[in-house]
Amino acid sequence: DLGDGEFMIWGHDGAAMEANETTDVPGDVDARLNRIWRVSEVDTLLSAADVGSVDIQFDLSMFTSVVAADLRLLIDTDNDGLFDDETSIGGATDLGGMMFEFAGISLLTNTTRFTLGTINASQTPLPIELLSFNAFVNEQNQAELNWETASETNCDYYQINASTDGVLWDEVSSVKGAGNSSITRKYHYIDPNASAGLHYFRWKQVDFDGTASLVGRKFLSMNAQELGVLFPNPTENSFEFQLKGIDYETTKLLSATGSSLNITWLKQEQDASAVDVSQLASGQYFMLVNGQRFGFVKR
């Protein structure tokens, strides 16, 4: 119900994406994120407005294990700065790609705070803050992997696996972890032996007791940067697109009849992008990128 002259803007306090706050939570919640978001919902006169119900999506790809049923949305409805006196909201939907949605939320009003909690801290721990992980083809035509953490707990090393089909995996290397750390750390690995074609890479964090947990997974197309590649195709929820030097200002999403559609970006990087197509109807579509047209099918 967003009307003319009404605005909804939100931002967070910069706190860590770690669910280790166990006191300021409702009784059914084990822990919540330290990070808290706050909403500004106003009109052009900066008076409180009502834009109606909204859908909230969280990108939780920095976490190792997330079960949608464990997630709880926490909203500080009385605006007292506390969540332990609130009723948690369940019903999260797994959209795929570690994207989770709470639909039809009507309790967010001007200046209210919200955050995310878990009712099962062992099954959905939300334990580490992974700032980024990426895979790309470097100038030497090698597979290059980079990731960055804001904190680590009992991290012995990172195991790197590779696959050509996403099913059968080989361990290609390991990178020493920081053990216990609360500062930003950057990691880097180059696989010079990745052959031409499609490749999958995944990272696993291995603790000192041998426990391994998935950190991230990426798809990479070797020697396809000049031509461009869109994957997976067909797709149900999202796809990744790789092309050297993507011009995002001219990129368009087109229907089968050539009509221009809104693009919901999940990622925008120099040589790679990700697009959410979960809301599109089934059928044929096209991405117009750098003057080239790439077709895909939405299931």
Side-chain angles (χ1 to χ4, degrees):
D1 192 28
L2 183 68
D4 292 342
E6 294 180 337
F7 306 88
M8 185 178 185
I9 305 170
W10 63 94
H12 62 73
D13 56 5
M17 283 284 286
E18 292 181 285
N20 56 19
E21 173 55 59
T22 59
T23 302
D24 182 26
V25 292
D28 63 330
V29 175
D30 281 356
R32 69 163 174 85
L33 294 177
N34 288 315
R35 180 169 296 181
I36 297 173
W37 289 261
R38 198 169 194 179
V39 173
S40 173
E41 195 171 354
V42 297
D43 58 23
T44 53
L45 300 177
L46 301 185
S47 299
D50 182 5
V51 304
S53 299
V54 297
D55 300 337
I56 305 175
Q57 294 183 5
F58 289 91
D59 178 356
L60 301 181
S61 58
M62 71 286 291
F63 297 122
T64 58
S65 174
V66 178
V67 176
D70 294 338
L71 296 176
R72 292 295 184 271
L73 180 65
L74 307 181
I75 301 177
D76 181 15
T77 58
D78 56 8
N79 220 9
D80 64 353
L82 300 172
F83 295 98
D84 60 1
D85 58 348
E86 302 293 340
T87 300
S88 66
I89 301 172
T93 301
D94 186 345
L95 302 179
M98 295 297 280
M99 296 290 295
F100 297 85
E101 178 180 83
F102 291 87
I105 301 302
S106 60
L107 294 177
L108 290 178
T109 58
N110 188 41
T111 74
T112 54
R113 302 170 178 84
F114 68 94
T115 189
L116 189 65
T118 173
I119 62 170
N120 190 331
S122 59
Q123 181 170 258
T124 302
L126 308 180
I128 67 169
E129 186 178 7
L130 180 68
L131 297 178
S132 65
F133 61 95
N134 193 26
F136 61 95
V137 181
N138 62 23
E139 295 180 355
Q140 288 73 44
N141 203 37
Q142 301 167 320
E144 186 166 339
L145 315 179
N146 294 313
W147 64 103
E148 184 177 6
T149 63
S151 64
E152 298 176 38
T153 303
N154 297 321
C155 179
D156 187 8
Y157 64 94
Y158 293 94
Q159 181 187 101
I160 300 172
N161 301 130
S163 172
T164 57
D165 58 9
V167 178
L168 300 176
W169 296 87
D170 294 318
E171 182 179 348
V172 295
S173 186
S174 63
V175 177
K176 185 65 177 176
N180 295 291
S181 172
S182 59
I183 63 174
T184 300
R185 294 184 180 273
K186 296 181 179 181
Y187 295 91
H188 177 77
Y189 171 72
I190 293 178
D191 184 358
N193 299 315
S195 58
L198 306 181
H199 293 269
Y200 296 83
F201 291 96
R202 70 183 183 189
W203 294 253
K204 285 186 175 181
Q205 176 185 318
V206 181
D207 294 342
F208 290 109
D209 62 2
T211 301
S213 55
L214 183 66
V215 174
R217 172 171 156 161
K218 287 289 183 180
F219 162 79
L220 191 63
S221 178
M222 302 293 294
N223 301 323
Q225 285 289 325
E226 298 296 335
L227 299 177
V229 61
L230 187 154
F231 184 88
N233 188 11
T235 181
E236 294 184 2
N237 296 306
S238 64
F239 64 78
E240 290 198 19
F241 183 81
Q242 295 177 354
L243 179 68
K244 192 170 184 179
I246 296 174
D247 182 358
Y248 286 103
E249 291 187 4
T250 61
T251 297
K252 293 183 178 180
L253 173 61
L254 305 175
S255 68
T257 59
S259 300
S260 183
L261 306 172
N262 290 330
I263 303 178
T264 302
W265 297 105
L266 299 176
K267 176 177 69 176
Q268 284 181 296
E269 297 175 357
Q270 182 179 3
D271 298 335
S273 65
V275 177
D276 179 6
V277 295
S278 60
Q279 302 304 314
L280 295 179
S282 299
Q284 177 78 41
Y285 296 88
F286 299 92
M287 285 291 291
L288 185 64
V289 187
N290 294 10
Q292 302 181 62
R293 193 166 73 160
F294 301 86
F296 69 93
V297 174
K298 167 62 167 63
R299 285 177 174 168

